Amino acid sequence: MTMKVGILGSGVVGQALGRGFASRGNEVMIGSRTPESDKLKTWMEKTGKMASTGTFAQAAAYGSTLVLATLGSAAEEAIDLAGLPNFRGKLVIDATNPLDFSKGMPPGLFVGTTDSLGERIQRRLPEAKVVKCFNIVGNSQMVDPTYEGVEMMICGNDKTAKEEVTRILKEFGWKGVIDVGGIEGARWLEALVPLWVRVGIALNNWNNVFRVLHE
Amino acid sequence: MTMKVGILGSGVVGQALGRGFASRGNEVMIGSRTPESDKLKTWMEKTGKMASTGTFAQAAAYGSTLVLATLGSAAEEAIDLAGLPNFRGKLVIDATNPLDFSKGMPPGLFVGTTDSLGERIQRRLPEAKVVKCFNIVGNSQMVDPTYEGVEMMICGNDKTAKEEVTRILKEFGWKGVIDVGGIEGARWLEALVPLWVRVGIALNNWNNVFRVLHE
């Protein structure tokens, strides 16, 4: 089954998804504030005859399926520019993220949390070396985990303490760690848990583990 | 290298980690409000001679390494009961989560987000079928992903729309989806992204994918 796909947003995400839809035989229009840009001309040449560009409103009207692929901070304005009636009853694939780069890298979220229990605990214990660990897996997986070769995501402010936790994890049967930085990373390790619960509900199983696939 | 480990919290997490530390030759004391409970006696019998129990303060004083394994809502009080000086200079492994069950299952976080861009977008487009998708992977992985057999985590309010997204994803080379529920799941899919960024920084690579390992 092929279809017409309207993509709002002409950055790397919109381009990648546009190529993907076109490569599967769908007609694709990328919507942009600047549909005549060199960037989009190049994208059209690479993508072939299934590809076109237009304004946000044109792309939203064109697609029977719509994809939101703008910057998160621009998403709501892009929707307004595209025109609310153009979305009525349609599948809208939302690939956006409310990333907040106002404090530099790595980003937070402009809709979302600005603190964590890990940080609260580190503030409560300023002289201790708090390392967030084990919070993202179920108790059945903490020691002698079912799956081999998995790295635990951890964070904390003290390098030596994280090395010690790494040693402990290896002893427990984990491959090692992915160190996601200072204790403020607990915001995201903690936020992984409501997701883990939802995955458990979806799979009706609680031995699930998030693994980072990487080179 | 073996050590003395103090664990605050006697639930399944504290017990699992206590068994783990003991099984690797460490001496472990679980700290609890009720160190003489039948539950903890059973745990000690199973765990062997390396295991003991005490109050929060005793366990915190005992361990050269400490583990926080209480309910998130009890963590700060447990720390106060354990006595702040007992943490000074020590490694404190924080396995807690600020889970908020006040609205039932699945939980949110009592420190954390209560909205998402996905929900905002669905509210802005009440007649559209918004499905959060693609937001948790880099653009290089959206179509023809590097790793085989991976499921995309998605969410949305409309079952048929999610079935359509599933079809699209399979066409794009994904194994399928894990449907984490209604559009409010976007809170956690979005919160995965700051973590993904931190993982990218840690690995100095941006083709990383979160895979759910499950039976």
Side-chain angles (χ1 to χ4, degrees):
Chain A
M1 189 183 80
T2 62
M3 56 198 172
K4 290 189 175 183
V5 180
I7 296 180
L8 304 194
S10 57
V12 290
V13 171
Q15 291 184 39
L17 291 175
R19 277 194 300 274
F21 279 104
S23 73
R24 269 59 174 182
N26 303 291
E27 294 171 81
V28 178
M29 185 186 291
I30 283 188
S32 165
R33 288 170 195 273
T34 53
E36 312 286 338
S37 71
D38 289 347
K39 175 179 82 174
L40 282 177
K41 280 179 188 154
T42 303
W43 173 80
M44 276 207 289
E45 284 163 17
K46 278 191 188 170
T47 308
K49 64 180 168 40
M50 309 302 274
S52 60
T53 66
T55 63
F56 284 138
Q58 286 169 335
Y62 174 88
S64 59
T65 293
L66 300 180
V67 180
L68 298 178
T70 64
L71 290 178
S73 54
E76 289 166 297
E77 192 187 351
I79 287 169
D80 290 345
L81 288 169
L84 301 190
N86 284 325
F87 294 86
R88 197 165 286 150
K90 295 180 182 174
L91 166 59
V92 179
I93 297 179
D94 170 19
T96 65
N97 281 299
L99 295 177
D100 174 9
F101 292 100
S102 66
K103 295 189 179 107
M105 280 287 285
L109 299 180
F110 65 76
V111 184
T113 190
T114 55
D115 199 2
S116 64
L117 193 55
E119 288 164 281
R120 282 197 195 182
I121 287 165
Q122 180 66 82
R123 287 198 299 270
R124 184 75 68 110
L125 301 168
E127 296 180 86
K129 303 159 188 170
V130 177
V131 177
K132 194 90 197 180
C133 184
F134 295 115
N135 77 300
I136 60 172
V137 295
N139 71 83
S140 70
Q141 299 300 310
M142 290 174 172
V143 182
D144 298 321
T146 304
Y147 301 99
E148 283 184 14
V150 183
E151 293 151 312
M152 179 82 85
M153 288 180 273
I154 68 168
C155 69
N157 293 338
D158 189 276
K159 188 166 173 292
T160 309
K162 289 190 282 195
E163 288 168 358
E164 172 66 358
V165 168
T166 304
R167 187 191 68 73
I168 292 165
L169 284 165
K170 286 180 177 173
E171 208 173 32
F172 280 11
W174 290 80
K175 184 182 177 190
V177 303
I178 296 176
D179 175 1
V180 301
I183 191 64
E184 70 283 358
R187 295 173 196 183
W188 320 115
L189 293 179
E190 292 173 5
L192 200 50
V193 178
L195 183 64
W196 179 86
V197 173
R198 283 162 176 81
V199 166
I201 291 169
L203 300 174
N204 193 26
N205 187 299
W206 300 93
N207 295 325
N208 312 306
V209 175
F210 291 110
R211 177 180 189 171
V212 179
L213 296 173
H214 63 88
E215 286 160 17
Chain B
M1 189 182 81
T2 60
M3 56 198 173
K4 290 188 175 181
V5 180
I7 296 179
L8 305 193
S10 57
V12 290
V13 170
Q15 290 184 39
L17 292 174
R19 276 195 299 274
F21 278 104
S23 71
R24 270 59 175 182
N26 302 290
E27 295 171 81
V28 178
M29 185 186 290
I30 283 188
S32 165
R33 290 169 193 271
T34 54
E36 312 287 338
S37 70
D38 289 347
K39 175 179 83 174
L40 283 176
K41 278 178 189 156
T42 303
W43 174 80
M44 275 207 290
E45 283 164 17
K46 277 190 186 170
T47 308
K49 64 179 169 42
M50 310 301 274
S52 60
T53 66
T55 63
F56 284 139
Q58 286 168 334
Y62 174 87
S64 59
T65 292
L66 300 180
V67 180
L68 298 178
T70 63
L71 288 179
S73 53
E76 290 165 296
E77 192 186 352
I79 288 170
D80 289 345
L81 289 170
L84 301 189
N86 284 327
F87 294 87
R88 196 165 288 150
K90 294 180 182 175
L91 166 60
V92 179
I93 297 179
D94 170 19
T96 64
N97 280 301
L99 294 178
D100 174 9
F101 292 99
S102 66
K103 296 190 180 109
M105 280 286 283
L109 300 179
F110 65 76
V111 184
T113 189
T114 56
D115 198 2
S116 64
L117 193 55
E119 287 164 281
R120 282 197 195 183
I121 287 166
Q122 181 65 81
R123 287 199 299 271
R124 185 74 67 111
L125 301 168
E127 296 181 84
K129 303 158 186 170
V130 178
V131 176
K132 195 89 196 180
C133 183
F134 294 117
N135 78 300
I136 61 172
V137 296
N139 70 83
S140 70
Q141 299 300 309
M142 291 176 172
V143 182
D144 298 321
T146 304
Y147 302 99
E148 283 183 15
V150 182
E151 293 151 311
M152 179 81 85
M153 288 180 272
I154 68 168
C155 69
N157 293 338
D158 188 276
K159 188 165 173 290
T160 310
K162 290 190 282 194
E163 286 168 0
E164 171 65 0
V165 168
T166 303
R167 188 192 66 76
I168 291 166
L169 285 164
K170 286 180 176 171
E171 208 173 32
F172 281 11
W174 290 79
K175 184 182 177 190
V177 305
I178 296 175
D179 175 359
V180 301
I183 192 64
E184 70 283 358
R187 296 174 195 181
W188 319 114
L189 293 179
E190 292 173 4
L192 201 50
V193 179
L195 183 63
W196 179 86
V197 173
R198 283 164 175 79
V199 167
I201 291 169
L203 300 174
N204 193 27
N205 186 300
W206 299 94
N207 296 325
N208 312 306
V209 175
F210 291 111
R211 178 179 188 170
V212 178
L213 296 173
H214 64 88
E215 288 160 16

